[in-house]
Amino acid sequence: MTDATETLDGAAAVDAPGLLPGLWRDGLLIALAWGVAAVVTVSLPDVVPWGGGDLFAAITGVGALTFVVLAFAAHRLGRAGEILIHYGPWLIAIGVWLALWELITAKTGWLPKPFFSPPHGLLNVYVNDGQRLLICIGYTLRLWALGFLSGIVVGYAVGVALGWSKRFAYWGMPLLKLIGPVPATAWIPCTFYFFPTTFGASIFIVALASGIPVAILTASGVGSVNRAYYDVGRILGADSRYLIRRVAIPAAMPHVFVGLFMALYYSFAVLVVAEMLGAKYGLGWYIQFQTAYSGYANVYAALLIMAVLCAGIIRLLFVARDRLLKWQQGFI
Amino acid sequence: MSDAVFAEQAVADQAVADRAVAAPAPHAGAGMAVEIRKVSHHFRLSGKSLPVLEGIDFSVAPGEFVALLGPSGCGKSTLLRLIAGLEPPSAGAIVADSEPVNRPDPSRNLVFQDPTLFPWATVWRNVATGLEARGLLKQHRARVDDALALVELGGFADAYPHQLSGGMAQRASLARALVNDPSLLLLDEPLGKLDSLTRMTLQVELVRLWQRNGFTALLVTHDVEEALLLASRVIVFSERPARIKAEFRFDEPYPRHRDDPGLIDLRRRILGTLGLAT
């Protein structure tokens, strides 16, 4: 068992097999790094008080103790253990980073308040403003989901039409090329006029940001399908409908996914802007509100949430892609 | 009409019958008669007209196996595309079973040099394409399995094209054509990119499938030996623009052997017309 995991993971291969078989050495290093972070947090005073220091030290301290246990147990945990061992070096780095971060912000004041926040400052925000942040996450996800989904659906349909129909491409392509590079913020005056609610306008901005890359990539995907596939289809008795559904669309799928990944990043980037339009909640709104009051710790806390949300959704998109583009395996 | 029913019955019968027996064509006469009437064709290349075919005129009897031989790039493949109905000829007409060809049809099936399998679909789905496109798949799912068994790919139904070797992919592409029971099979150098061993195996396979199904076959190749192993008539084309240069009959029974003296002699004569005699 250990042999397999060791060869799979170079970082874990440094176990001393003669000394303590089954010991996960990285686990002890993680415990050490996290323990240092905890000790630094409680033993040194904050230059300017932040609050939340004790809780942070407790969490990292308990984390350190847990990794001491895991260092002896990880090899017996099967698949979960393998994943843990794989991310071992990262967990060490996180512990070291937390300790350093504490030192250069709260403990020495090199990066001073209010522009920078130590990790326990962020934790303090999550504890004290958690309720409001949860509501903001809900609002942001609703806006993002509505905007992104409607954007990619329309973008995909437009892309297929542009790639398939010469006439559609004649009129549509120049327009798309013109609209594409315009930053989403530039549409705010028009959207205010055309949309009855600011929520509708916000959705439109997110939809536009996600729809354009999907449309462009889908069009290029459909347009670059090997002509021989169409010949094959026609010889086998396929009509245009069949050729679009069963040849053009699946053949363009890899391109469509590139467009979706781009759409995801763009949509997250414009969320903050979209929530400028009179939103009452939402992470973007929260970030602007806190910036105005120099609540930078709150800003970082919200940014961290957005980053985690974005990474989570990208992970989901990867899973979807690997499933839908199974046929490409060996090419990817 | 009755041909189609007949053909289907034959496939079902054959699935039961022992495939190893080199039975005579179970429904001889299913082949299509093809007439190429004074066909000329040119491409437009950057505003200029490039003649490809010039006054091609010949006919093919139902069930015949004819090889079209010529230097590479002479326009043989273009002729197959015209017969398949993918493009109309610039001049002249192509008549299949007394009907003018003006669009593609599954009864005239073309197998390309590249397998051109849809990479996003499994082998089974690929072979099923023709039936599915015509809305026949629901009633005739068994035909897909039969076609796969016929080309010995029964175990690879769920594989994706990238998992197949070149020879297997070309077999799958043959099955994709044969599942539609074509009465004319157009073969555009189907073995051109395969290694020589796979090539020899598939040459034997092609003869077996042709004898079994009784379709008319038109094979484009630049391999004289291949033409003589498979075809009963070899039409030699000139350089582009292609004209018919010579025609040879070869009525040796199958299976043929590449060291047959008659074949070797004819091979020398054909190479002579191509200006390659030693």
Side-chain angles (χ1 to χ4, degrees):
Chain A
M1 180 186 73
T2 47
D3 283 347
T5 50
E6 277 171 17
T7 46
L8 267 177
D9 189 276
V14 288
D15 281 1
L19 207 63
L20 262 173
L23 174 71
W24 175 39
R25 216 187 61 172
D26 280 357
L28 289 181
L29 290 176
I30 298 167
L32 181 67
W34 287 46
V36 168
V39 169
V40 164
T41 311
V42 279
S43 60
L44 301 174
D46 288 1
V47 176
V48 184
W50 279 95
D54 291 340
L55 178 60
F56 180 73
I59 290 173
T60 42
V62 168
L65 290 178
T66 313
F67 278 110
V68 170
V69 177
L70 283 172
F72 294 95
H75 284 309
R76 282 175 218 117
L77 292 178
R79 181 87 191 103
E82 274 175 40
I83 294 172
L84 200 62
I85 288 167
H86 176 78
Y87 286 107
W90 262 107
L91 289 165
I92 299 173
I94 289 172
V96 171
W97 165 241
L98 289 176
L100 280 177
W101 188 2
E102 281 291 343
L103 279 174
I104 59 178
T105 54
K107 305 306 177 187
T108 61
W110 287 344
L111 299 176
K113 196 172 181 175
F115 305 102
F116 296 94
S117 161
H120 65 267
L122 300 187
L123 187 64
N124 197 34
V125 172
Y126 293 135
V127 172
N128 292 328
D129 218 5
Q131 195 79 27
R132 189 150 55 146
L133 278 170
L134 277 179
I135 298 172
C136 285
I137 291 173
Y139 271 79
T140 294
L141 279 181
R142 182 181 64 154
L143 170 63
W144 175 81
L146 288 171
F148 183 75
L149 291 179
S150 55
I152 62 171
V153 166
V154 174
Y156 181 65
V158 169
V160 170
L162 285 172
W164 181 260
S165 151
K166 286 212 171 70
R167 179 171 301 180
F168 206 89
Y170 174 83
W171 294 103
M173 257 324 188
L175 287 179
L176 192 61
K177 281 181 184 151
L178 211 63
I179 294 172
V182 176
T185 32
W187 297 99
I188 289 176
C190 309
T191 50
F192 263 138
Y193 182 78
F194 285 113
F195 285 87
T197 64
T198 50
F199 186 56
S202 305
I203 291 178
F204 176 77
I205 300 264
V206 176
L208 197 68
S210 1
I212 284 173
V214 173
I216 292 176
L217 267 296
T218 306
S220 88
V222 171
S224 63
V225 175
N226 186 349
R227 313 305 298 173
Y229 292 146
Y230 294 135
D231 286 345
V232 167
R234 286 171 63 211
I235 286 168
L236 294 172
D239 55 11
S240 298
R241 215 173 88 94
Y242 186 92
L243 289 180
I244 294 176
R245 279 178 49 234
R246 296 289 182 170
V247 181
I249 286 179
M253 245 354 189
H255 282 81
V256 174
F257 266 95
V258 176
L260 285 176
F261 281 108
M262 287 168 66
L264 195 61
Y265 283 115
Y266 288 156
S267 65
F268 262 83
V270 299
L271 266 181
V272 178
V273 177
E275 282 175 340
M276 282 200 298
L277 309 180
K280 290 187 186 64
Y281 277 109
L283 291 170
W285 164 84
Y286 186 86
I287 287 168
Q288 290 166 66
F289 178 83
Q290 295 295 349
T291 310
Y293 289 89
S294 303
Y296 295 116
N298 301 60
V299 172
Y300 293 128
L303 280 175
L304 191 63
I305 294 175
M306 282 188 98
V308 170
L309 284 180
C310 189
I313 294 169
I314 283 175
R315 184 89 204 95
L316 286 179
L317 201 55
F318 266 112
V319 171
R321 187 198 67 166
D322 290 348
R323 192 157 294 185
L324 276 168
L325 299 186
K326 198 170 50 180
W327 55 269
Q328 252 199 337
Q329 268 165 20
F331 294 113
I332 300 180
Chain B
M1 178 60 62
S2 61
D3 268 5
V5 176
F6 194 178
E8 227 185 276
Q9 184 58 42
V11 170
D13 288 347
Q14 190 65 20
V16 180
D18 183 4
R19 294 190 17 255
V21 177
H27 51 289
M32 183 180 270
V34 186
E35 283 177 63
I36 318 294
R37 290 183 188 156
K38 296 201 169 55
V39 164
S40 296
H41 196 67
H42 60 260
F43 289 133
R44 298 212 68 84
L45 267 185
S46 50
K48 271 188 277 180
S49 170
L50 177 75
V52 195
L53 300 170
E54 216 167 83
I56 305 293
D57 198 285
F58 66 92
S59 49
V60 182
E64 203 179 359
F65 200 133
V66 176
L68 309 179
L69 199 69
S72 101
C74 78
K76 307 168 302 236
S77 301
T78 307
L79 183 60
L80 284 202
R81 286 180 66 84
L82 301 182
I83 299 172
L86 287 170
E87 290 166 52
S90 308
I94 293 163
V95 178
D97 274 350
S98 347
E99 302 239 3
V101 169
N102 44 29
R103 71 171 73 85
D105 190 279
S107 69
R108 284 176 269 115
N109 230 296
L110 177 54
V111 175
F112 297 89
Q113 182 174 17
D114 290 306
T116 55
L117 297 170
F118 298 150
W120 54 86
T122 60
V123 168
W124 197 92
R125 281 265 138 210
N126 265 291
V127 173
T129 302
L131 296 175
E132 189 189 41
R134 287 179 292 149
L136 300 173
L137 186 57
K138 280 216 176 81
Q139 307 97 295
H140 296 287
R141 298 181 72 86
R143 275 168 67 176
V144 179
D145 301 321
D146 292 345
L148 280 173
L150 196 62
V151 296
E152 280 153 27
L153 280 180
F156 291 87
D158 295 325
Y160 282 93
H162 74 82
Q163 296 167 309
L164 302 182
S165 69
M168 285 156 78
Q170 202 51 279
R171 276 170 207 268
S173 143
L174 263 173
R176 179 175 63 180
L178 292 175
V179 76
N180 303 292
D181 260 311
S183 36
L184 172 64
L185 193 61
L186 303 163
L187 301 154
D188 187 3
E189 292 188 48
L191 313 181
K193 285 191 176 169
L194 302 177
D195 65 274
S196 56
L197 284 177
T198 313
R199 209 179 154 115
M200 286 184 199
T201 323
L202 280 184
Q203 284 166 348
V204 176
E205 294 277 285
L206 272 177
V207 169
R208 177 175 71 88
L209 293 168
W210 168 66
Q211 287 184 316
R212 178 188 172 285
N213 287 32
F215 49 74
T216 306
L218 260 173
L219 169 76
V220 158
T221 180
H222 50 238
D223 180 343
V224 182
E225 194 176 79
E226 181 170 283
L228 289 171
L229 281 172
L230 301 180
S232 53
R233 188 146 63 102
V234 179
I235 298 177
V236 182
F237 285 71
S238 70
E239 306 250 321
R240 196 184 62 232
R243 259 168 278 199
I244 295 182
K245 216 170 170 184
E247 211 178 302
F248 298 88
R249 291 212 145 269
F250 190 51
D251 286 324
E252 200 85 354
Y254 300 90
R256 294 170 180 173
H257 298 283
R258 49 199 86 228
D259 42 11
D260 177 290
L263 190 149
I264 292 173
D265 176 54
L266 198 52
R267 181 166 168 263
R268 192 180 305 120
R269 281 166 57 201
I270 293 175
L271 285 174
T273 47
L274 287 166
L276 292 167
T278 45

